[in-house]
Amino acid sequence: MKTTIRLLAGTAICLMASVPAFAEEYRIAVGDGAGGTQEALGKAFVEALEKESGGAMTGKLFLNGQLGDEQDTVTAAATGTLDFSILAINNITPFSPSVGTLTLPYVILSQDDAEKVTQGEVGRRMVEQTVEDAGVRIIGWGYSGFRVLTNSSKPVSTVADLQGLVVRVPKNEIMIETYKSWGINPTPMAWGETFAALQQKVVDGQDNPYMTVNAMKFYEVQKYITDLRHIFSIEPLIVSEALFESLSDDEQQQILAAGQAATKASAAFLREQESRIRDELVGRGMEIAKPADDEKEFIALATGTVWPKFYDQIGGVEVLNGVLASLGRDPV
Ligand code: MLT
């Protein structure tokens, strides 16, 4: 579905034969607030789209879930009432279970891993699967970093410390089971409700990358951070497949090229900004703890019990083994 909003590109520009008088402006939903990886990915995409299309296509970002909660934007894009969305991959998993492989705890162990998996053959297969399952096409990949645990009650560095905390998780079975493997029953909640729930102490904590903690101003309502590395947050840029299919081959290629440029920009943004943002959070009064014993207890509990529970759902253990092989790791 093309949006009906059309922008006058300017009389002077119209006079130049090769530049269109009107730009098609697409609506791009963004789950997070300003300053995070999602916004950086979106801005880079819009800039590249304008360049690739010679000004014929552009986009407008709607931050902070203005166009709906992240999971709802997948449905909206699939039904053609929304053009694009940028969201965490865990919020696509309910609609396309195979991408859950990237949310299994301790599968992606670094930014290099995240880039390798998403930009290689595994990522290409996930794109096709998501089109088939969910009616949306991943055209760019954002990278936000590891989902660290934040809470307002106490420093946490062991699984024992975690007991008694009420932790919000996305509505994602894998993430729910991960916390269960650590002995607590987390609270599944939509992303858009999370800040208020932390503020009103309906929940004590949540996990998300430094970049997101900062973009969502969680430092105002959270004190402690635990540097968990169970999930490296990947934030895809999706387009409505109905919209994509309605475009000409040239327009499709321009959108794909802009998505690739945005992917590169997002990877660079995280590498350049993450440690600065981490320091800023400390400057704002947050205390950061490392998990005890190199996180060994967290890792053993999560990989030992969570992985096998989801083999069927992600399409078989061979899907996980394909990801591990692409990262040079041993199969399970
Ligand atoms: C979530 O926790 O639901 C997501 O990770 C939020 C996000 O997109 O940053």
Side-chain angles (χ1 to χ4, degrees):
M1 185 220 51
K2 288 190 179 187
T3 61
T4 51
I5 306 166
R6 285 179 172 264
L7 295 180
L8 189 59
T11 317
I13 295 175
C14 302
L15 298 174
M16 296 160 63
S18 61
V19 178
F22 296 97
E24 193 73 47
E25 185 183 79
Y26 294 114
R27 292 183 313 150
I28 306 175
V30 181
D32 294 350
T37 314
Q38 292 189 356
E39 186 196 36
L41 178 74
K43 280 181 169 170
F45 175 69
V46 170
E47 197 184 312
L49 186 61
E50 287 173 357
K51 194 165 150 222
E52 290 290 335
S53 67
M57 290 189 277
T58 185
K60 183 169 178 191
L61 304 182
F62 293 83
L63 300 174
N64 273 316
Q66 286 172 74
L67 298 186
D69 214 81
E70 289 195 0
Q71 293 193 4
D72 296 337
T73 66
V74 179
T75 315
T79 54
T81 56
L82 174 67
D83 306 321
F84 293 83
S85 176
I86 301 174
L87 72 171
I89 195 150
N90 49 269
N91 287 327
I92 300 183
T93 316
F95 309 94
S96 186
S98 79
V99 298
T101 322
L102 304 184
T103 317
L104 284 175
Y106 303 105
V107 167
I108 306 289
L109 300 179
S110 65
Q111 182 174 349
D112 282 351
D113 279 2
E115 289 183 58
K116 209 181 281 177
V117 166
T118 51
Q119 294 175 40
E121 188 44 39
V122 170
R124 274 190 288 281
R125 276 204 303 272
M126 281 181 184
V127 169
E128 291 315 317
Q129 194 64 50
T130 310
V131 170
E132 204 179 305
D133 295 340
V136 297
R137 178 176 293 268
I138 298 170
I139 53 151
W141 299 94
Y143 307 99
S144 280
F146 288 105
R147 292 180 74 105
V148 298
L149 173 71
T150 69
N151 86 89
S152 56
S153 306
K154 57 179 181 179
V156 170
S157 58
T158 63
V159 171
D161 294 336
L162 203 56
Q163 306 314 302
L165 279 187
V166 182
V167 177
R168 173 269 170 184
V169 289
K171 295 179 185 174
N172 175 301
E173 285 303 319
I174 295 174
M175 293 158 106
I176 294 168
E177 287 301 321
T178 299
Y179 277 90
K180 283 190 180 166
S181 80
W182 295 334
I184 64 168
N185 212 351
T187 306
M189 185 183 286
W191 182 225
E193 294 163 20
T194 306
F195 185 92
L198 294 168
Q199 189 173 43
Q200 291 157 16
K201 300 202 183 302
V202 175
V203 294
D204 301 310
Q206 62 85 48
D207 69 42
N208 258 294
Y210 289 125
M211 308 300 285
T212 311
V213 171
N214 190 55
M216 300 306 291
K217 298 189 168 47
F218 283 172
Y219 49 79
E220 290 177 0
V221 290
Q222 298 279 270
K223 170 82 179 158
Y224 302 101
I225 293 180
T226 310
D227 255 342
L228 291 181
R229 302 170 77 78
H230 60 309
I231 295 174
F232 185 100
S233 190
I234 293 170
E235 320 263 347
L237 163 61
I238 58 173
V239 62
S240 158
E241 183 62 6
L243 165 63
F244 191 75
E245 290 297 328
S246 75
L247 300 174
S248 68
D249 285 353
D250 277 356
E251 289 168 324
Q252 289 184 352
Q253 290 314 313
Q254 290 158 2
I255 284 181
L256 294 176
Q260 275 178 14
T263 300
K264 281 205 181 80
S266 166
F269 180 80
L270 182 64
R271 282 189 208 286
E272 285 157 18
Q273 302 294 327
E274 191 177 32
S275 62
R276 181 181 67 78
I277 294 294
R278 183 181 191 276
D279 292 348
E280 262 185 41
L281 292 173
V282 173
R284 291 180 191 278
M286 297 196 82
E287 288 177 17
I288 302 182
K290 289 263 170 236
D293 196 21
D294 287 334
E295 213 167 326
K296 284 197 187 85
E297 195 184 2
F298 288 97
I299 296 171
L301 290 168
T303 55
T305 62
V306 181
W307 285 12
K309 278 194 183 139
F310 290 93
Y311 292 156
D312 284 349
Q313 211 177 95
I314 62 173
V317 69
E318 57 279 9
V319 176
L320 173 60
N321 282 336
V323 171
L324 294 174
S326 76
L327 297 174
R329 308 229 309 266
D330 291 337
V332 290

